[in-house]
Amino acid sequence: MSWQTYVDEHLMQYLFLSSLIFHDCFKPQEMTDIMKDFDEPGHLAPTGLFLAGLKYMVIQGEPGAVIRGKKGAGGITIKKTGQSMVFGLYEEPVTPGQCNMVVERLGDYLVEQDL
């Protein structure tokens, strides 16, 4: 299955809100802290997760695989793959579960492709 086919047939039907984050919006320390939380789950819990200068309260995730954060009516889901991280940001009316499903399915697909 091609990448575009996978996106069209399996992800777009669930994607209600998409966000684009440019790599220069990230601060190096933010990425270092996120990677450290994947290696040492719970690292971000005391201080929160910061991304592009915004603070998210860390909520239940999957140690070493998924980090989830909440900020007001929105939040973030980060899935770690072999070579990358998939970030999903959402605001109402998108629910946390919808964001989690899209991000984690995409991440699982990338893991299956050794990416």
Side-chain angles (χ1 to χ4, degrees), residues 15-22 25-26 34 49-52 54 56 67 69-71 73-78 86-92 94-96 98-100 102-103:
L15 189 60
F16 301 101
L17 173 73
S18 62
S19 297
L20 178 62
I21 302 176
F22 295 96
C25 293
F26 296 129
I34 289 169
L49 181 155
F50 286 85
L51 186 67
L54 299 175
Y56 295 85
I67 299 171
K70 186 87 173 127
K71 178 176 178 35
I76 186 169
T77 304
I78 307 169
V86 179
F87 289 77
L89 301 170
Y90 65 92
E91 291 288 337
E92 288 183 335
V94 176
T95 67
Q98 290 168 321
C99 182
N100 294 342
V102 171
V103 169

Side-chain angles (χ1 to χ4, degrees), residues 56-74:
Y56 295 85
M57 177 180 65
V58 178
I59 56 177
Q60 174 266 339
E62 296 174 28
V66 178
I67 299 171
R68 297 185 183 108
K70 186 87 173 127
K71 178 176 178 35

